[in-house]
């Protein structure tokens, strides 16, 4: 009797299962440790089965990255929509970013921390199209933060795009350093409860941008 075809729901579930096991393998053994044979063993299937869902190891890896950035964007977009006032909106987005980094550490580490292939590594290869899609999804997060910072700055002064990008780099460097320090447990050697510092980190970031805005506005003869 022929085997009953899988439903679309079952297919999607198994595709997700492949991605979850793949990210576990990368966490344990690095990108080079992800092989179709080992992944198949984890899943309890033959390697050829995985090829029915993903054409290669790189395809799986890029799918994991893409999914991670989509998840992060959804959380940040939800935070953006939750607050009407620009300052509160940006704070909510920062909290969403920190929460994602700490609760989805496997995804986060792969997206931002581990030394793994990036878009330029796939230029001129069969995976360039998939890599470009992953890059486009990641840029949605970046563009959303640019939009939020621009709306905050434009309450007081005309937006300077270079300065806005500088703010984003400053914010991200601080937030990423905090998340990475918790995920690799380094901060636990520096503080009894590093999780309690999240609001302090965000407060200090806003003090920085408020100080810079105040200086700029005063130089123009206005008040903040």
């Amino acid at each position: 009797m022929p085997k009953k075809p899988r439903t679309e729901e079952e297919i999607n579930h198994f595709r997700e299962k492949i991605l979850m096991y793949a990210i576990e393998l990368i966490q344990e053994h690095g990108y080079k440790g992800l092989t179709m044979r080992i992944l198949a063993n984890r899943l309890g299937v033959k390697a050829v089965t995985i090829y029915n869902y993903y054409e290669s190891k790189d395809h799986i890896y890029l799918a994991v990255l893409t999914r991670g950035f989509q998840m992060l964007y959804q959380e940040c977009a939800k935070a953006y929509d939750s607050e009407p006032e620009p300052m509160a909106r940006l704070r909510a987005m920062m909290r969403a970013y920190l929460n994602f980094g700490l609760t989805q550490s496997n995804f986060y580490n792969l997206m931002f921390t581990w030394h793994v292939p990036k878009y330029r590594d796939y230029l001129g290869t069969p995976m360039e199209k998939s890599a470009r899609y992953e890059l486009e999804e990641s840029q949605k997060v970046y563009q959303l933060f640019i939009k939020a910072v621009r709306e905050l700055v434009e309450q007081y002064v005309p937006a300077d795009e270079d300065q806005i990008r500088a703010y984003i780099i400053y914010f991200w460097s601080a937030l990423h350093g905090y998340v990475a320090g918790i995920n690799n447990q380094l901060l636990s050697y520096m503080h009894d409860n590093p999780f309690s510092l999240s609001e302090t980190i965000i407060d200090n970031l806003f003090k920085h941008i408020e100080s810079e805005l105040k200086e700029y506005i005063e130089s123009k003869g206005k008040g903040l």
Side-chain angles (χ1 to χ4, degrees):
M1 185 175 179
K3 189 176 180 180
K4 184 179 178 181
R6 291 191 176 194
T7 65
E8 184 175 351
E9 182 179 352
E10 290 172 331
I11 291 172
N12 290 334
H13 175 74
F14 192 69
R15 286 178 67 89
E16 290 296 314
K17 190 175 180 180
I18 291 172
L19 297 185
M20 294 305 103
Y21 276 93
I23 199 169
E24 285 182 7
L25 279 175
I26 295 172
Q27 182 184 33
E28 293 170 12
H29 306 292
Y31 176 71
K32 292 183 179 179
L34 173 62
T35 70
M36 294 302 227
R37 180 181 59 80
I38 296 176
L39 182 57
N41 287 339
R42 287 282 180 98
L43 290 162
V45 300
K46 295 180 179 180
V48 68
T49 300
I50 300 177
Y51 286 104
N52 292 328
Y53 297 86
Y54 296 97
E55 61 190 66
S56 67
K57 163 185 168 176
D58 286 297
H59 192 195
I60 293 173
Y61 160 70
L62 289 169
V64 170
L65 274 186
T66 301
R67 180 58 48 82
F69 281 113
Q70 289 170 340
M71 291 165 60
L72 177 57
Y73 175 78
Q74 288 169 3
E75 292 304 310
C76 290
K78 189 186 303 180
Y80 178 93
D81 292 336
S82 71
E83 295 286 352
E85 195 275 320
M87 187 77 76
R89 182 183 297 146
L90 187 56
R91 279 182 176 273
M93 291 174 65
M94 288 183 178
R95 292 190 189 102
Y97 183 96
L98 291 180
N99 183 65
F100 176 86
L102 298 175
T103 61
Q104 301 289 343
S105 58
N106 282 356
F107 275 105
Y108 186 90
N109 290 337
L110 184 63
M111 292 156 63
F112 295 109
T113 305
W114 296 331
H115 182 65
V116 290
K118 302 292 190 294
Y119 168 68
R120 291 190 181 95
D121 297 310
Y122 290 104
L123 292 177
T125 74
M127 297 308 301
E128 181 176 344
K129 183 177 179 181
S130 294
R132 184 181 299 111
Y133 178 63
E134 179 273 322
L135 178 65
E136 290 169 352
E137 291 299 294
S138 71
Q139 289 295 299
K140 289 180 180 179
V141 179
Y142 175 55
Q143 293 300 329
L144 185 62
F145 269 93
I146 284 182
K147 180 181 179 182
V149 172
R150 182 186 294 115
E151 289 169 346
L152 172 60
V153 172
E154 286 183 340
Q155 289 187 114
Y156 309 104
V157 293
D160 180 304
E161 292 302 312
D162 287 339
Q163 189 60 44
I164 287 174
R165 293 176 192 278
Y167 285 144
I168 296 296
I169 292 172
Y170 178 80
F171 290 159
W172 179 80
S173 297
L175 296 175
H176 171 65
Y178 175 66
V179 171
I182 288 183
N183 287 346
N184 64 24
Q185 300 184 14
L186 181 61
L187 289 186
S188 66
Y189 290 92
M190 303 178 183
H191 194 278
D192 291 337
N193 183 18
F195 288 95
S196 67
L197 299 175
S198 60
E199 287 301 314
T200 301
I201 298 292
I202 293 174
D203 285 343
N204 287 337
L205 289 174
F206 274 92
K207 286 178 183 177
H208 173 79
I209 191 172
E210 286 171 349
S211 175
E212 287 207 353
L213 282 172
K214 184 176 180 180
E215 283 184 20
Y216 182 85
I217 292 169
E218 287 177 349
S219 72
K220 300 297 182 182
K222 301 177 182 179
L224 184 60

